[in-house]
Amino acid sequence: MGVGRIRTLAAAALLGAAVIVPLVAAPTSYGAPASPSDRQGIIHRGFSVTIDRVNPTSIEPNHHLNVSGVVTNDTSTTWLAVQVYLLISYYPARTQKDLEYFAAIPPTTHFGTPISTYGLFAQIGDLSPGISRRYRLSIPFGALPISGTPGVYYVAVSVLGGTSAGRDNLSDARADTLVPLLPSGKQREGLGLTQATVFLPITAPVKRWPDGTFLDESLAGLVSPGGRLSDVLDFALHAPRDSLTLLVDPAVLSALQAMTAGYGVDQAPGRGAKPTPGTGQEAALDWLTGFHRLASRQTLLLLPWGDPATDSVAQHRMGGVVKAAVRASQTYSVEQHLRAHIVGWQDDGRTTRAGIELLQRAHVDLQMVSTASLPQLQPDSAGLLPARVSVPVHAAPVRLLVAGDQVASEPVTSTTSPFDLRQYLIAEATIRSLSGRADDAQTLVALPTDWDPGTGNQADNGDLAAAFNFPLLISQTLDTTVSGGYHPYSGRISPPAHTRAGLSGAVLAGIRHVRYAGRIYAGLHEGQPSARTEFDRVFALAGSASWLDEPRAGVAIAGAAAARYRAGLAKIAVSGPSFVAMSSSSGSFPLTVSNNSRGPITVKVLISADNPALTFAPIKPLSLDPRQHQDVRVLSRVTGSGLTLVRARLTTTTGRQFGPPWEFSVRATQIGLVIWIVLAAGGGVLLGAALFRVLRRLRRRHRGAQAAAQ
């Protein structure tokens, strides 16, 4: 149900040109619910019609009910004497079950009583192809064909028109909404207030290359007037203070901040062409200015960086993506002085137990899940689902906020208008109050990540301000939302059948390449927090949920990031001699480590030999500045002789090896102990012979001297 939902009426007979046969009023039984397919793909016979204003927001005695919207001729035929009629149910919904019946009304069902009194329907005349025209209906309370019982009434508008070929007896389009009627006097005073928390995601694909240029102008288009993020910001700025909880991807904020300084767009970097100057600099600046104003008025929570596809990476044992994403968001919060909590809200709450466990291990501050992922969650006696649950996991129970994907039994989709949202919220509040459960339960509503409120939908009373001015509805702070008891849930956790498929094999391969090369590169720069932060952001973005729908962009961006890391690693190398000869049991030889990368590094050198008889003394980690070369003297020991192959490799300080090894040969030639004894003995003999000759000469001289004396 809702604005923009068009229904073909199968039996709304015409009497002449302006009188419609009343449809059968609904008794206390509203008919069997329809299947979901009955509520989608509604075909109209030539018109689209919307309801975008209801004033006042509820039916009030002694006041007119004013309903207005737009009729559009979507055909190539001119429609003649177009008329718009109001229909309303005789009995209201008073329970959640009643709302479910309203939501399940098939588009062809006779439902509601049309108001065909002359002057109470709109005559908007002939409508040419492609032309839109506003209508307005103003119905006195006394002219409404209703029981007058407090509750939520089903209100619709029906469009009738003819062509040059004549008129038929079928209505041509229908749009509907929900409008409550409250008790009067002391009965109203006794009603409790419903507390509502509305979560508004602000996220988008961030298509940035590693050098900071952008793949395209899609983000600029989203923040420009008429773009989805521009519409979301406009809607949020019209909301009352503390009525929204923002779920923001900091990767989007960072990208927009970069755009404000000027940026380039390059669809295929590395091919020599210069990037095209970006055109969204002013739009990014204007949007960020508005966002900072918004953040000062509403509660701000940060999503993990890049909004990773948590379930998909968990399934393929790539939990490091989510851990990096959470660290990146934590760092961003500190850098920007936001002090914002990190919240796990993946794929609009469609999750698995593995995804919940991964987010817990990544240390998010808060987790949210959709009711659709808890298929065995049971409502209470009033038909209300719990807003907080506790689920068991391996480490410890995890507390989850449960955000409904329906309000007043109506699905909240990407095309739900602010008017729809307002009417759904006040209808839900009315039912809760009438059931006496308003003070006991909370309404948590999470809008889809691709929600677009549309341009100009904040006019008049189509925003949250009117919703929270409703006497039975108040906004709820985050502290109140997370406080209170948590309902234990041990049932199945699984996303709905229509959930998107996981990341493609090509994207997953790209993530692996980024992980391998990026971890090594970040490890070499471990003394620089900026290098670690850069890797966390790049790695997280490689696993973004955006690539579920745009796998080619994800593959290209991950591939470029991995290539950039590999190119940086290729500039760090070790070299040395091609051959070393050792003539003793110990010796040394030189190696040279070169850093031609763009930053200082800390690296270790690992030496190994094919022959274990050759060993090497450990080498302390080396710190090198950019463009620095450092020589290292390697001490070695050997037992035995022979020729062996030696490899010198570079590693991070944690032992991750990278780059090609430097290979060289070492020949060891040791002289044994026996040879040394023989040499020593020979030396002794030679020394003894020399001494003997000297002594003999001395004796001869002495004898000669004695003979001469005689």
mmCIF file with all atom_site columns, all heavy atoms in Angstrom, residues 364-380:
data_model
loop_
_atom_site.group_PDB
_atom_site.id
_atom_site.type_symbol
_atom_site.label_atom_id
_atom_site.label_alt_id
_atom_site.label_comp_id
_atom_site.label_asym_id
_atom_site.label_entity_id
_atom_site.label_seq_id
_atom_site.pdbx_PDB_ins_code
_atom_site.Cartn_x
_atom_site.Cartn_y
_atom_site.Cartn_z
_atom_site.occupancy
_atom_site.B_iso_or_equiv
_atom_site.pdbx_formal_charge
_atom_site.auth_seq_id
_atom_site.auth_comp_id
_atom_site.auth_asym_id
_atom_site.auth_atom_id
_atom_site.pdbx_PDB_model_num
ATOM 1   N N   . VAL A 1 364 ? 32.488 -4.599  16.753 1.00 0.00 ? 364 VAL A N   1
ATOM 2   C CA  . VAL A 1 364 ? 31.563 -3.493  16.540 1.00 0.00 ? 364 VAL A CA  1
ATOM 3   C C   . VAL A 1 364 ? 30.900 -3.171  17.877 1.00 0.00 ? 364 VAL A C   1
ATOM 4   O O   . VAL A 1 364 ? 30.804 -4.012  18.772 1.00 0.00 ? 364 VAL A O   1
ATOM 5   C CB  . VAL A 1 364 ? 30.495 -3.834  15.475 1.00 0.00 ? 364 VAL A CB  1
ATOM 6   C CG1 . VAL A 1 364 ? 31.128 -4.025  14.110 1.00 0.00 ? 364 VAL A CG1 1
ATOM 7   C CG2 . VAL A 1 364 ? 29.695 -5.069  15.875 1.00 0.00 ? 364 VAL A CG2 1
ATOM 8   N N   . ASP A 1 365 ? 30.424 -1.948  17.995 1.00 0.00 ? 365 ASP A N   1
ATOM 9   C CA  . ASP A 1 365 ? 29.800 -1.528  19.246 1.00 0.00 ? 365 ASP A CA  1
ATOM 10  C C   . ASP A 1 365 ? 28.335 -1.951  19.341 1.00 0.00 ? 365 ASP A C   1
ATOM 11  O O   . ASP A 1 365 ? 27.781 -2.057  20.439 1.00 0.00 ? 365 ASP A O   1
ATOM 12  C CB  . ASP A 1 365 ? 29.890 -0.002  19.381 1.00 0.00 ? 365 ASP A CB  1
ATOM 13  C CG  . ASP A 1 365 ? 31.319 0.484   19.363 1.00 0.00 ? 365 ASP A CG  1
ATOM 14  O OD1 . ASP A 1 365 ? 32.137 -0.054  20.134 1.00 0.00 ? 365 ASP A OD1 1
ATOM 15  O OD2 . ASP A 1 365 ? 31.638 1.393   18.562 1.00 0.00 ? 365 ASP A OD2 1
ATOM 16  N N   . LEU A 1 366 ? 27.727 -2.172  18.181 1.00 0.00 ? 366 LEU A N   1
ATOM 17  C CA  . LEU A 1 366 ? 26.289 -2.424  18.148 1.00 0.00 ? 366 LEU A CA  1
ATOM 18  C C   . LEU A 1 366 ? 25.974 -3.210  16.890 1.00 0.00 ? 366 LEU A C   1
ATOM 19  O O   . LEU A 1 366 ? 26.583 -2.984  15.837 1.00 0.00 ? 366 LEU A O   1
ATOM 20  C CB  . LEU A 1 366 ? 25.529 -1.086  18.142 1.00 0.00 ? 366 LEU A CB  1
ATOM 21  C CG  . LEU A 1 366 ? 24.005 -1.115  18.039 1.00 0.00 ? 366 LEU A CG  1
ATOM 22  C CD1 . LEU A 1 366 ? 23.403 -1.723  19.304 1.00 0.00 ? 366 LEU A CD1 1
ATOM 23  C CD2 . LEU A 1 366 ? 23.474 0.308   17.838 1.00 0.00 ? 366 LEU A CD2 1
ATOM 24  N N   . GLN A 1 367 ? 25.022 -4.160  16.997 1.00 0.00 ? 367 GLN A N   1
ATOM 25  C CA  . GLN A 1 367 ? 24.591 -4.902  15.820 1.00 0.00 ? 367 GLN A CA  1
ATOM 26  C C   . GLN A 1 367 ? 23.081 -4.780  15.653 1.00 0.00 ? 367 GLN A C   1
ATOM 27  O O   . GLN A 1 367 ? 22.324 -4.784  16.632 1.00 0.00 ? 367 GLN A O   1
ATOM 28  C CB  . GLN A 1 367 ? 24.970 -6.379  15.925 1.00 0.00 ? 367 GLN A CB  1
ATOM 29  C CG  . GLN A 1 367 ? 26.440 -6.662  15.703 1.00 0.00 ? 367 GLN A CG  1
ATOM 30  C CD  . GLN A 1 367 ? 26.685 -8.107  15.294 1.00 0.00 ? 367 GLN A CD  1
ATOM 31  O OE1 . GLN A 1 367 ? 26.131 -8.576  14.308 1.00 0.00 ? 367 GLN A OE1 1
ATOM 32  N NE2 . GLN A 1 367 ? 27.523 -8.803  16.048 1.00 0.00 ? 367 GLN A NE2 1
ATOM 33  N N   . MET A 1 368 ? 22.668 -4.712  14.389 1.00 0.00 ? 368 MET A N   1
ATOM 34  C CA  . MET A 1 368 ? 21.253 -4.660  14.046 1.00 0.00 ? 368 MET A CA  1
ATOM 35  C C   . MET A 1 368 ? 20.953 -5.750  13.034 1.00 0.00 ? 368 MET A C   1
ATOM 36  O O   . MET A 1 368 ? 21.805 -6.119  12.229 1.00 0.00 ? 368 MET A O   1
ATOM 37  C CB  . MET A 1 368 ? 20.887 -3.288  13.460 1.00 0.00 ? 368 MET A CB  1
ATOM 38  C CG  . MET A 1 368 ? 21.026 -2.137  14.419 1.00 0.00 ? 368 MET A CG  1
ATOM 39  S SD  . MET A 1 368 ? 20.839 -0.536  13.576 1.00 0.00 ? 368 MET A SD  1
ATOM 40  C CE  . MET A 1 368 ? 19.295 -0.793  12.681 1.00 0.00 ? 368 MET A CE  1
ATOM 41  N N   . VAL A 1 369 ? 19.734 -6.239  13.066 1.00 0.00 ? 369 VAL A N   1
ATOM 42  C CA  . VAL A 1 369 ? 19.313 -7.278  12.145 1.00 0.00 ? 369 VAL A CA  1
ATOM 43  C C   . VAL A 1 369 ? 17.846 -7.045  11.807 1.00 0.00 ? 369 VAL A C   1
ATOM 44  O O   . VAL A 1 369 ? 17.090 -6.478  12.599 1.00 0.00 ? 369 VAL A O   1
ATOM 45  C CB  . VAL A 1 369 ? 19.531 -8.681  12.768 1.00 0.00 ? 369 VAL A CB  1
ATOM 46  C CG1 . VAL A 1 369 ? 18.646 -8.878  13.980 1.00 0.00 ? 369 VAL A CG1 1
ATOM 47  C CG2 . VAL A 1 369 ? 19.292 -9.774  11.752 1.00 0.00 ? 369 VAL A CG2 1
ATOM 48  N N   . SER A 1 370 ? 17.459 -7.463  10.616 1.00 0.00 ? 370 SER A N   1
ATOM 49  C CA  . SER A 1 370 ? 16.067 -7.319  10.200 1.00 0.00 ? 370 SER A CA  1
ATOM 50  C C   . SER A 1 370 ? 15.238 -8.471  10.737 1.00 0.00 ? 370 SER A C   1
ATOM 51  O O   . SER A 1 370 ? 15.729 -9.592  10.922 1.00 0.00 ? 370 SER A O   1
ATOM 52  C CB  . SER A 1 370 ? 15.985 -7.285  8.673  1.00 0.00 ? 370 SER A CB  1
ATOM 53  O OG  . SER A 1 370 ? 14.653 -7.434  8.234  1.00 0.00 ? 370 SER A OG  1
ATOM 54  N N   . THR A 1 371 ? 13.963 -8.203  10.967 1.00 0.00 ? 371 THR A N   1
ATOM 55  C CA  . THR A 1 371 ? 13.061 -9.269  11.388 1.00 0.00 ? 371 THR A CA  1
ATOM 56  C C   . THR A 1 371 ? 13.007 -10.383 10.345 1.00 0.00 ? 371 THR A C   1
ATOM 57  O O   . THR A 1 371 ? 12.762 -11.546 10.679 1.00 0.00 ? 371 THR A O   1
ATOM 58  C CB  . THR A 1 371 ? 11.645 -8.715  11.603 1.00 0.00 ? 371 THR A CB  1
ATOM 59  O OG1 . THR A 1 371 ? 11.222 -8.016  10.418 1.00 0.00 ? 371 THR A OG1 1
ATOM 60  C CG2 . THR A 1 371 ? 11.606 -7.753  12.776 1.00 0.00 ? 371 THR A CG2 1
ATOM 61  N N   . ALA A 1 372 ? 13.261 -10.039 9.075  1.00 0.00 ? 372 ALA A N   1
ATOM 62  C CA  . ALA A 1 372 ? 13.204 -11.047 8.016  1.00 0.00 ? 372 ALA A CA  1
ATOM 63  C C   . ALA A 1 372 ? 14.285 -12.107 8.173  1.00 0.00 ? 372 ALA A C   1
ATOM 64  O O   . ALA A 1 372 ? 14.149 -13.215 7.637  1.00 0.00 ? 372 ALA A O   1
ATOM 65  C CB  . ALA A 1 372 ? 13.334 -10.375 6.652  1.00 0.00 ? 372 ALA A CB  1
ATOM 66  N N   . SER A 1 373 ? 15.368 -11.801 8.884  1.00 0.00 ? 373 SER A N   1
ATOM 67  C CA  . SER A 1 373 ? 16.446 -12.762 9.086  1.00 0.00 ? 373 SER A CA  1
ATOM 68  C C   . SER A 1 373 ? 16.238 -13.626 10.321 1.00 0.00 ? 373 SER A C   1
ATOM 69  O O   . SER A 1 373 ? 17.056 -14.497 10.611 1.00 0.00 ? 373 SER A O   1
ATOM 70  C CB  . SER A 1 373 ? 17.796 -12.033 9.191  1.00 0.00 ? 373 SER A CB  1
ATOM 71  O OG  . SER A 1 373 ? 18.141 -11.453 7.962  1.00 0.00 ? 373 SER A OG  1
ATOM 72  N N   . LEU A 1 374 ? 15.163 -13.376 11.060 1.00 0.00 ? 374 LEU A N   1
ATOM 73  C CA  . LEU A 1 374 ? 14.832 -14.171 12.254 1.00 0.00 ? 374 LEU A CA  1
ATOM 74  C C   . LEU A 1 374 ? 13.477 -14.821 12.026 1.00 0.00 ? 374 LEU A C   1
ATOM 75  O O   . LEU A 1 374 ? 12.465 -14.431 12.630 1.00 0.00 ? 374 LEU A O   1
ATOM 76  C CB  . LEU A 1 374 ? 14.816 -13.286 13.503 1.00 0.00 ? 374 LEU A CB  1
ATOM 77  C CG  . LEU A 1 374 ? 16.074 -12.452 13.778 1.00 0.00 ? 374 LEU A CG  1
ATOM 78  C CD1 . LEU A 1 374 ? 15.880 -11.574 15.003 1.00 0.00 ? 374 LEU A CD1 1
ATOM 79  C CD2 . LEU A 1 374 ? 17.299 -13.336 13.933 1.00 0.00 ? 374 LEU A CD2 1
ATOM 80  N N   . PRO A 1 375 ? 13.410 -15.819 11.145 1.00 0.00 ? 375 PRO A N   1
ATOM 81  C CA  . PRO A 1 375 ? 12.111 -16.357 10.736 1.00 0.00 ? 375 PRO A CA  1
ATOM 82  C C   . PRO A 1 375 ? 11.328 -17.022 11.854 1.00 0.00 ? 375 PRO A C   1
ATOM 83  O O   . PRO A 1 375 ? 10.110 -17.193 11.728 1.00 0.00 ? 375 PRO A O   1
ATOM 84  C CB  . PRO A 1 375 ? 12.488 -17.375 9.640  1.00 0.00 ? 375 PRO A CB  1
ATOM 85  C CG  . PRO A 1 375 ? 13.906 -17.742 9.923  1.00 0.00 ? 375 PRO A CG  1
ATOM 86  C CD  . PRO A 1 375 ? 14.534 -16.503 10.475 1.00 0.00 ? 375 PRO A CD  1
ATOM 87  N N   . GLN A 1 376 ? 11.989 -17.408 12.939 1.00 0.00 ? 376 GLN A N   1
ATOM 88  C CA  . GLN A 1 376 ? 11.290 -18.074 14.031 1.00 0.00 ? 376 GLN A CA  1
ATOM 89  C C   . GLN A 1 376 ? 11.025 -17.142 15.214 1.00 0.00 ? 376 GLN A C   1
ATOM 90  O O   . GLN A 1 376 ? 10.663 -17.602 16.296 1.00 0.00 ? 376 GLN A O   1
ATOM 91  C CB  . GLN A 1 376 ? 12.104 -19.296 14.486 1.00 0.00 ? 376 GLN A CB  1
ATOM 92  C CG  . GLN A 1 376 ? 12.200 -20.367 13.404 1.00 0.00 ? 376 GLN A CG  1
ATOM 93  C CD  . GLN A 1 376 ? 13.111 -21.514 13.790 1.00 0.00 ? 376 GLN A CD  1
ATOM 94  O OE1 . GLN A 1 376 ? 14.264 -21.292 14.176 1.00 0.00 ? 376 GLN A OE1 1
ATOM 95  N NE2 . GLN A 1 376 ? 12.614 -22.739 13.703 1.00 0.00 ? 376 GLN A NE2 1
ATOM 96  N N   . LEU A 1 377 ? 11.189 -15.847 14.989 1.00 0.00 ? 377 LEU A N   1
ATOM 97  C CA  . LEU A 1 377 ? 10.897 -14.867 16.037 1.00 0.00 ? 377 LEU A CA  1
ATOM 98  C C   . LEU A 1 377 ? 9.385  -14.775 16.214 1.00 0.00 ? 377 LEU A C   1
ATOM 99  O O   . LEU A 1 377 ? 8.648  -14.549 15.251 1.00 0.00 ? 377 LEU A O   1
ATOM 100 C CB  . LEU A 1 377 ? 11.479 -13.507 15.659 1.00 0.00 ? 377 LEU A CB  1
ATOM 101 C CG  . LEU A 1 377 ? 11.448 -12.425 16.739 1.00 0.00 ? 377 LEU A CG  1
ATOM 102 C CD1 . LEU A 1 377 ? 12.293 -12.828 17.944 1.00 0.00 ? 377 LEU A CD1 1
ATOM 103 C CD2 . LEU A 1 377 ? 11.948 -11.096 16.164 1.00 0.00 ? 377 LEU A CD2 1
ATOM 104 N N   . GLN A 1 378 ? 8.934  -14.955 17.435 1.00 0.00 ? 378 GLN A N   1
ATOM 105 C CA  . GLN A 1 378 ? 7.507  -15.028 17.707 1.00 0.00 ? 378 GLN A CA  1
ATOM 106 C C   . GLN A 1 378 ? 6.979  -13.711 18.278 1.00 0.00 ? 378 GLN A C   1
ATOM 107 O O   . GLN A 1 378 ? 7.615  -13.107 19.152 1.00 0.00 ? 378 GLN A O   1
ATOM 108 C CB  . GLN A 1 378 ? 7.208  -16.154 18.705 1.00 0.00 ? 378 GLN A CB  1
ATOM 109 C CG  . GLN A 1 378 ? 7.564  -17.541 18.191 1.00 0.00 ? 378 GLN A CG  1
ATOM 110 C CD  . GLN A 1 378 ? 6.770  -17.917 16.961 1.00 0.00 ? 378 GLN A CD  1
ATOM 111 O OE1 . GLN A 1 378 ? 5.550  -17.676 16.899 1.00 0.00 ? 378 GLN A OE1 1
ATOM 112 N NE2 . GLN A 1 378 ? 7.442  -18.492 15.963 1.00 0.00 ? 378 GLN A NE2 1
ATOM 113 N N   . PRO A 1 379 ? 5.815  -13.250 17.789 1.00 0.00 ? 379 PRO A N   1
ATOM 114 C CA  . PRO A 1 379 ? 5.203  -12.048 18.368 1.00 0.00 ? 379 PRO A CA  1
ATOM 115 C C   . PRO A 1 379 ? 4.547  -12.362 19.700 1.00 0.00 ? 379 PRO A C   1
ATOM 116 O O   . PRO A 1 379 ? 4.306  -13.528 20.044 1.00 0.00 ? 379 PRO A O   1
ATOM 117 C CB  . PRO A 1 379 ? 4.156  -11.666 17.313 1.00 0.00 ? 379 PRO A CB  1
ATOM 118 C CG  . PRO A 1 379 ? 3.789  -12.968 16.662 1.00 0.00 ? 379 PRO A CG  1
ATOM 119 C CD  . PRO A 1 379 ? 5.049  -13.791 16.662 1.00 0.00 ? 379 PRO A CD  1
ATOM 120 N N   . ASP A 1 380 ? 4.282  -11.319 20.450 1.00 0.00 ? 380 ASP A N   1
ATOM 121 C CA  . ASP A 1 380 ? 3.592  -11.511 21.717 1.00 0.00 ? 380 ASP A CA  1
ATOM 122 C C   . ASP A 1 380 ? 2.084  -11.607 21.481 1.00 0.00 ? 380 ASP A C   1
ATOM 123 O O   . ASP A 1 380 ? 1.619  -11.677 20.340 1.00 0.00 ? 380 ASP A O   1
ATOM 124 C CB  . ASP A 1 380 ? 3.942  -10.390 22.698 1.00 0.00 ? 380 ASP A CB  1
ATOM 125 C CG  . ASP A 1 380 ? 3.547  -9.012  22.177 1.00 0.00 ? 380 ASP A CG  1
ATOM 126 O OD1 . ASP A 1 380 ? 2.726  -8.928  21.236 1.00 0.00 ? 380 ASP A OD1 1
ATOM 127 O OD2 . ASP A 1 380 ? 4.062  -8.017  22.704 1.00 0.00 ? 380 ASP A OD2 1
#
